[in-house]
Amino acid sequence: MSPPIRLVEVLELDFDLEPAPWPFAITYAASIAAHWAELRKAKPAVYNGRVLLLGPRELAQRADGDLRLRGAFFETDYADFVAWRAFGHPGERVDNCFSMAALRTADGAFLMGEMAPHTMNGGQIYFPAGTPDPTDVFDGKVDLDASARRELLEETGVAAEEAVIEPGWTVIFAPQRIACMKLMTLPVTAAEAKERIDAFLALDPHPEFSRMHIVRAPDDIDEERTPAFVAAYLRSAFA
C-alpha cells in the first residue's frame, strides 16, 4: 500500500544545488538509453534536457515556529528521470520535487490545464508546473518560486505579477513526489481567464496544455485524469 498523501503548510523553501553523479544513472545507463529510444518512438516531441531532482531533504521548524523545507538537489538527464519512474524508483531515496502555480480566480474557482497529447503526461489535468531545471538555479540555490512563475508564463501566457501571490507554500508529500503549491489569484473571473488562456494556447503549434478546465467545487474534479495529489490539494482548498 502506498503511503498516504500528506499536506503541510510551509513558510519557506531552502534548497541547494549540490553537483554529484547519480548512482542510478550510472548503474542503469544501458537500460536508460534503450528506454529512451523506445519512448522517442512513441513521443518524438520529448526532449532530453537537464533536470533537477531532490536528494536529502528535511522538514524543520524555524525559530519562529513556522516550518521550512530544506534539502539538496542534483542535476541529471531527463531520460534518467523518466527511466527511474518507469523502473519503479530503484536505488537510494530521491524525490521529484517541483512547484505548481495554483491558479485561482476572483470568483473562487481554480483554473487547470489539460496536458497536450504530445507531452509525457498527455491527457492529465493539473496546474502549470514542471520539473525544475538549471535555469531555476541562482547563486547555488534552487528557486522553486522562480520555477513556478516561469512555468505559469510559458504554459498560459499569464505573468505571475498579474496575480495576488500568497506567502508560503502548501507542500504535498506523495510517493517519490513533493509538490510545492503556490496560490496565485487573478483579479478576473474564471470564464475570463479561461478565454484568455485558451486564446494564447491556440497561437502555439505545440502548446503544453491543449485546453483549460474550470474547477469550481470538488464535484468538478476529474478524478480519473487529475493526479491524486492535485485532487487532494483542491479538496483541501475548497474545505
Side-chain angles (χ1 to χ4, degrees):
M1 181 181 294
S2 298
I5 293 172
R6 182 165 60 109
L7 281 69
V8 180
E9 297 301 318
V10 171
L11 182 65
E12 182 182 9
L13 304 179
D14 182 13
F15 296 122
D16 295 315
L17 178 65
E18 295 185 355
W22 188 13
F24 164 79
I26 298 170
T27 302
Y28 291 85
S31 298
I32 291 168
H35 178 266
W36 183 255
E38 288 300 312
L39 180 61
R40 287 275 296 165
K41 292 177 184 177
K43 292 186 177 288
V46 296
Y47 170 67
N48 188 20
R50 300 289 281 176
V51 296
L52 308 180
L53 299 177
L54 184 64
R57 46 89 166 178
E58 176 189 30
L59 190 62
Q61 192 169 48
R62 302 176 356 145
D64 59 8
D66 288 314
L67 293 177
R68 171 195 293 121
L69 178 61
R70 60 189 179 192
F73 279 84
F74 63 92
E75 185 178 341
T76 194
D77 281 343
Y78 183 66
D80 301 333
F81 167 53
V82 295
W84 171 74
R85 292 192 311 186
F87 298 170
H89 315 99
E92 75 281 7
R93 179 175 185 151
V94 169
D95 288 297
N96 177 21
C97 179
F98 55 93
S99 54
M100 280 189 152
L103 201 57
R104 190 170 62 182
T105 54
D107 48 358
F110 284 93
L111 209 56
M112 302 170 67
E114 179 177 329
M115 295 300 292
H118 65 84
T119 66
M120 276 295 299
N121 300 311
Q124 291 193 16
I125 299 170
Y126 46 70
F127 296 112
T131 303
D133 65 39
T135 66
D136 300 315
V137 179
F138 303 90
D139 297 324
K141 292 287 187 178
V142 180
D143 188 340
L144 290 193
D145 182 77
S147 182
R149 292 166 180 262
R150 175 175 58 79
E151 294 289 350
L152 176 66
L153 183 61
E154 290 177 359
E155 296 182 1
T156 68
V158 174
E161 290 74 18
E162 301 177 52
V164 175
I165 302 176
E166 296 297 322
W169 303 81
T170 300
V171 178
I172 308 173
F173 295 90
Q176 279 72 50
R177 184 181 281 156
I178 300 174
C180 303
M181 317 295 287
K182 174 62 74 172
L183 182 60
M184 303 183 182
T185 304
L186 291 173
V188 296
T189 67
E192 291 169 329
K194 181 180 186 302
E195 181 179 13
R196 171 186 164 180
I197 296 172
D198 282 341
F200 169 82
L201 299 177
L203 297 175
D204 188 343
H206 302 290
E208 289 288 307
F209 290 146
S210 58
R211 64 191 180 110
M212 302 303 292
H213 293 256
I214 296 174
V215 179
R216 299 186 183 278
D219 288 346
D220 293 334
I221 301 171
D222 186 329
E223 299 286 354
E224 292 187 0
R225 295 193 293 159
T226 303
F229 73 94
V230 178
Y233 173 80
L234 289 168
R235 284 191 290 268
S236 175
F238 285 124

